Structure formats: structure tokens, C-alpha cells
Amino acid sequence: TVCGWGAPPPPPAIVSTYLGEDITFYLSHFKDGKGEGEYIPKLKTLDLGTHEVLPFEVPAEDRNRTSPFPYGGARFEFRAVGSSQNVSMVNTVLNTIVAEKFAEFADRVDAGEDIHDIARETLNEHWKVIFNGNNYDEEMQQELTDRGLWRIDSGVEAIATLTAEKNTALFQKMKVLTKEECESRQHILHDHYWGTVDIEAKCLVDMLNQHIIPSVKAAGVGPLSDLEAAVGTLKAAIAEIHAAEDSYKAAQLARVLRLETMIDIRAVCDAAEEVVPANLWTLATYKELMFLDQHTASTPETEPFFDE
């Protein structure tokens, strides 16, 4: 199952898998040669307390919602897909990986190896990816890093690995994508990234020029010079992105703009909002957005009139 994941909170950079204590205990004993019996998941009864819905049984262990790849009972869920992201490429990657690995297992069994030995070897080799803890805890993420799990904190750099030799070799081996098709998808993903940041940065320029700077001028207080300088900084960064030699370089520049430059400018804008009187601040504040009913009023003159 592939699930969309909207922020906050974001998925962790390390893809570990949550199994739950029950199946983890079973597999631990299996890999260590302490048992080969059938795994029987435990169940619990869920009673909603209504006459309309009778009590029903559910898996005893709920999936860990901080895990990017939890076991949810008879299935795994890949929960690290962005909420606006198309899942087609994600499914393509996951299915290709699974198909290639199961083909390898099948070939080894056909060659005479015992399936139980193959399973134990695989579990022992990759046991480090099992993590039943809190994936949002940075200390836990460091623990997984120390285990040797692959970690890429930048989405731009993660996209760039699509054309890594081992990945293109996998897709070509399974006859899913050619090297050229991997390259084209990488270019598109990088173009989409920097194109989105380009729109966001231009929107911030408009907000500065049309709202924040005029409000600061009208109030006569606030970091006016810093705000005016921010406009030039943003325009220069946007121009540098458009002049980049390729989509990868443009995306790298866009990441710096979004996660460093624009965050610094945001702090300047927040400082201005703190001192500008509310009646001169032309942008909606969080207070107004969250408590709209307390900050708007209807009068007979403004209420809509419907003639019967």
C-alpha cells in the first residue's frame, strides 16, 4: 500500500521498517534458529460502543505512524510519499525492487538451496533496517545512521540517485526503464522542484513589494532597509537559478533559496509584523485566520440580501 503523507510532520530521511514487537519477536527467533512455526498474528476486539456497529477484531498492534515503511497487518505501507506527489513512480520503484529480489530467491531455490536458509541469511543481513521506535526523534535517526542505513537529507540529492549506476542497472535488468528513461525522469523531477521554488520566491517578492514594505513605510517602524534588500536578494537568486547549466544545478540552487535564504527573509518579515500596528498590516495574520469568527462582523449593510 502506498499512502500520501502531508506535512507536518515530514517523513524521516532514513527508510526503516516498523514490524511491531509481536512479529519482530517471531522473526528474531526464526533467524536465530529457535523456531520455524507458523506466525499467527494476535488480535484484539474493538468496541465502538454503539448499537449500529458490532464489536470487531483488529490486529493487536497498530502500525507506527512515525515509520516510513510500517507493517500494517498482511501488508506493508510505504507512507513517505508527499501529499501532492503522484505515486506511480514510487510504485514502479517498489515493485521493481521486490520483483528483482524474489526472482533472485526463486533462482536460488531452483538451484537447490533451502528456502529457510535463504530467509535466515536475508534477515541477518538486513536486520538493521527494522526499527520499532520513534522515527521523529533525531537521536533515533542518528542511531539508524550509525547502523549504516542509507541517509539522504536532501530531496534534490535523493532525486539525483535515480541515475546511479546500480539503479539504472536494476531497471534495465528487469526491463522496466532504460538508462535514458531514468535520466529523463530525473530531469523532470528536478525541473518540477526548482520550478515550484521559483513560483514561491516570486510570490514572496510580490508580498514584500505590495504588502510588507508599504505597511512598514506607513507605520514608520520596522526593518525597512532589510526588507528592501531582501527583494534584491530574491531577484538575484531567481536569476541565478534560471541561468543554471542544467536542471540538477538549478534544483540545488533552489533548495538553498527555499531552505536558507527565504527562511532568513521570513524572519525579517516576522520582525516587521511584530511592530507594525494591526490596522496597517494588510496581510492576514495567523490570529485572524485561526479565529476568523472573532475578527469579522456582519452588519445589515454588509449582509447579503436575497430578494424572494
Side-chain angles (χ1 to χ4, degrees):
T1 304
V2 176
C3 301
W5 196 334
I14 300 174
V15 179
S16 60
T17 183
Y18 165 85
L19 299 180
E21 298 302 326
D22 193 17
I23 193 171
T24 300
F25 177 82
Y26 169 80
L27 291 176
S28 177
H29 275 60
F30 173 80
K31 75 181 181 66
D32 294 335
K34 298 178 182 178
E36 295 185 1
E38 178 185 0
Y39 170 67
I40 302 176
K42 297 178 182 178
L43 300 173
K44 65 180 179 182
T45 301
L46 184 63
D47 188 350
L48 300 181
T50 67
H51 296 293
E52 290 79 11
V53 180
L54 295 176
F56 55 95
E57 291 186 331
V58 297
E61 290 187 285
D62 196 7
R63 65 185 186 275
N64 184 332
R65 283 172 170 76
T66 71
S67 175
F69 214 150
Y71 178 72
R75 73 191 188 283
F76 282 89
E77 295 181 354
F78 188 74
R79 306 184 70 241
V81 183
S83 58
S84 63
Q85 185 177 354
N86 190 307
V87 301
S88 60
M89 187 60 184
V90 177
N91 274 326
T92 298
V93 173
L94 291 174
N95 289 336
T96 303
I97 293 171
V98 171
E100 193 269 345
K101 187 52 63 175
F102 272 86
E104 177 189 316
F105 292 159
D107 290 342
R108 292 175 63 179
V109 171
D110 290 343
E113 291 189 56
D114 185 90
I115 187 63
H116 296 87
D117 293 337
I118 296 173
R120 288 193 183 93
E121 176 190 318
T122 305
L123 284 169
N124 279 295
E125 183 179 355
H126 301 289
W127 192 256
K128 61 185 179 183
V129 305
I130 298 173
F131 178 66
N132 294 331
N134 181 7
N135 284 269
Y136 296 156
D137 187 333
E138 184 55 39
E139 291 185 2
M140 296 296 98
Q141 289 294 288
Q142 186 57 50
E143 176 189 319
L144 294 174
T145 303
D146 294 339
R147 289 187 193 179
L149 268 64
W150 194 267
R151 177 173 185 168
I152 309 176
D153 290 311
S154 164
V156 172
E157 301 306 324
I159 292 170
T161 64
L162 183 57
T163 55
E165 184 177 353
K166 71 179 183 66
N167 295 332
T168 56
L170 168 66
F171 286 121
Q172 291 184 101
K173 173 185 176 181
M174 301 305 294
K175 303 186 186 308
V176 175
L177 294 170
T178 65
K179 181 179 179 180
E180 292 74 20
E181 288 171 330
C182 290
E183 291 172 346
S184 68
R185 281 158 178 76
Q186 179 176 303
H187 290 321
I188 290 169
L189 288 169
H190 278 146
D191 280 342
H192 178 75
Y193 182 92
W194 76 255
T196 301
V197 176
D198 179 64
I199 294 171
E200 293 171 351
K202 289 175 179 176
C203 178
L204 182 53
V205 169
D206 286 345
M207 291 173 69
L208 284 163
N209 285 330
Q210 299 172 16
H211 292 278
I212 301 173
I213 291 177
S215 294
V216 169
K217 286 182 177 180
V221 293
L224 179 59
S225 61
D226 291 339
L227 291 168
E228 291 175 334
V231 173
T233 300
L234 287 169
K235 289 183 176 180
I238 293 170
E240 186 179 8
I241 291 172
H242 282 270
E245 59 191 31
D246 55 41
S247 59
Y248 180 26
K249 181 61 178 177
Q252 288 178 313
L253 293 170
R255 184 176 188 272
V256 174
L257 174 58
R258 170 187 267 173
L259 299 181
E260 296 179 24
T261 308
M262 292 175 69
I263 287 178
D264 291 340
I265 293 174
R266 162 69 186 273
V268 179
C269 296
D270 288 344
E273 185 178 357
E274 289 179 359
V275 296
V276 172
N279 65 314
L280 296 177
W281 191 258
T282 58
L283 292 171
T285 64
Y286 278 119
K287 184 178 180 181
E288 291 170 334
L289 292 172
M290 294 178 67
F291 304 103
L292 185 64
D293 59 324
Q294 300 176 23
H295 291 271
T296 57
S298 295
T299 64
E301 293 76 17
T302 61
E303 288 179 347
F305 175 75
F306 299 98
D307 188 358
E308 296 182 355

